[in-house]
Amino acid sequence: MDQPLIITCAITGAETSKEKQPALPVTAEEQGRAAKECVEAGASIIHLHVRDSSGKPSQKIEDFKKTIAEIKKQCGPEVMIQISTGGAVGESIENRARPLTLKPEMASLNIGTLNFGDDVFMNAPKDVEAMAAQIYANGVVPELEVYEMGHLESAYRLQKKGVLKTPFHVQFVLGVPGGTSGEVEHLVHMARFFEARKTENCSWGVAGIGRYQLPMAMHAIPMGGHVRVGLEDNIFYSKGVLAKSNAQLVERVARLSKEAGRAIATPAQARKMLGIK
Ligand code: KMH
Ligand code: ZN
């Protein structure tokens, strides 16, 4: 509670479609506008997936370059951009790593395989190690995507092996069918396990998927964790009611946090907490 809350917004993702959520930002211009609204509402990090000109998920450097330029144009240079190296299920590891050469401040690092709805999201040990090496080679701070306890335990094994270096940010992604759900007991266990390791300069946050988005945010605020929301993870504002925008989801978390007496981090404060130079 002493530290301001870092709000990340996952504005687009690879799995959500405009058919399911008409407010989903897909073009670079739409993503720039959505990011601006989110930053104004209190987000300091934009977790970024991009699409190609046909609207399909893309890991091409040019598509990331175009969207990042648009986000910076509309939000100003302060906003932190965290590119996805997860991509869409089935994308090759080589393609997933491509945008790292743009040297973003942060990138996601998926450290384990899991069933992902009806698909399998493959993150084989050798690929995780190769991705981590490319992340560090480009001077990027990783956010470890942790979908279940085994992934968190793998993170410490990888740290011991020297594959992972501090600082890193751990994101508990809870509620993917095939991973750990967003029951409060799971979050408490994972956060306590993380905190017991006292890993220097490391922090945790939670992204609740679907109906878990709001309860996970509500619990992370007093627990001292950080929060990710956004249409990538959840298209609804409340049961059966679509969110009007990404910003609407950010606004609610910012409001709850302030009500609880926890300030919202500016991008500069977020950088300091995450050890980003
Ligand atoms: N699209 C999911 C399969 C990430 O951004 O690193 C993986 C994902 C995680 O979205
Ligand atoms: Zn993602």
Side-chain angles (χ1 to χ4, degrees):
M1 282 290 270
D2 297 342
Q3 288 200 325
L5 176 76
I6 301 173
I7 304 177
T8 297
C9 193
I11 57 175
T12 302
E15 282 78 27
T16 317
S17 64
K18 271 219 192 267
E19 286 73 52
K20 284 196 203 129
Q21 174 37 289
L24 188 77
V26 167
T27 65
E29 206 276 330
E30 286 170 351
Q31 289 188 291
R33 195 165 350 113
K36 180 175 191 280
E37 290 167 9
C38 289
V39 168
E40 285 169 358
S44 44
I45 303 177
I46 301 297
H47 170 80
L48 191 64
H49 291 251
V50 300
R51 305 287 173 101
D52 65 16
S53 54
S54 73
K56 275 210 337 255
S58 163
Q59 289 296 116
K60 290 206 179 105
I61 295 177
E62 315 84 76
D63 292 323
F64 269 96
K65 218 174 177 173
K66 189 171 159 197
T67 306
I68 291 170
E70 190 61 37
I71 291 176
K72 297 267 177 188
K73 187 175 122 196
Q74 296 206 37
C75 298
E78 266 285 280
V79 62
M80 248 193 283
I81 295 177
Q82 178 193 90
I83 62 139
S84 170
T85 65
V89 173
E91 185 74 81
S92 73
I93 279 285
E94 291 73 25
N95 286 352
R96 283 166 52 183
R98 274 192 187 143
L100 288 170
T101 55
L102 293 171
K103 302 189 186 305
E105 289 177 286
M106 286 186 97
S108 61
L109 174 61
N110 293 270
I111 49 175
T113 296
L114 80 154
N115 288 344
F116 203 94
D118 293 330
D119 299 310
V120 180
F121 184 31
M122 282 298 297
N123 293 288
K126 68 170 178 15
D127 293 335
V128 175
E129 295 201 13
M131 188 72 86
Q134 290 191 61
I135 283 178
Y136 292 119
N138 284 289
V140 180
V141 171
E143 173 182 281
L144 312 184
E145 309 303 319
V146 165
Y147 302 84
E148 47 108 328
M149 259 320 280
H151 295 165
L152 186 54
E153 298 192 276
S154 298
Y156 293 107
R157 267 200 307 281
L158 290 170
Q159 190 192 3
K160 216 167 167 187
K161 207 173 160 187
V163 173
L164 287 180
K165 303 174 188 100
T166 58
F168 53 74
H169 177 66
V170 171
Q171 186 79 275
F172 303 126
V173 184
L174 302 184
V176 173
T180 298
S181 72
E183 296 301 322
V184 176
E185 292 86 343
H186 297 319
L187 175 66
V188 171
H189 178 59
M190 290 169 128
R192 296 296 170 250
F193 185 94
F194 170 88
E195 282 158 7
R197 263 115 206 109
K198 293 196 172 50
T199 316
E200 222 179 298
N201 300 325
C202 292
S203 50
W204 69 267
V206 65
I209 303 300
R211 67 187 172 86
Y212 293 114
Q213 187 162 84
L214 180 59
M216 287 298 90
M218 288 172 76
H219 283 87
I221 292 167
M223 285 170 70
H226 301 288
V227 170
R228 172 172 124 177
V229 290
L231 298 177
E232 170 173 345
D233 300 338
N234 164 44
I235 60 175
F236 294 103
Y237 187 77
S238 56
K239 193 166 185 213
V241 180
L242 287 174
K244 289 198 187 100
S245 62
N246 278 291
Q248 190 190 24
L249 298 168
V250 173
E251 270 159 23
R252 175 165 60 185
V253 173
R255 199 165 59 237
L256 287 167
S257 192
K258 285 181 205 153
E259 282 288 328
R262 188 167 174 200
I264 306 303
T266 61
Q269 288 172 319
R271 279 188 180 88
K272 201 162 170 216
M273 284 187 270
L274 297 165
I276 293 173
K277 307 252 158 42

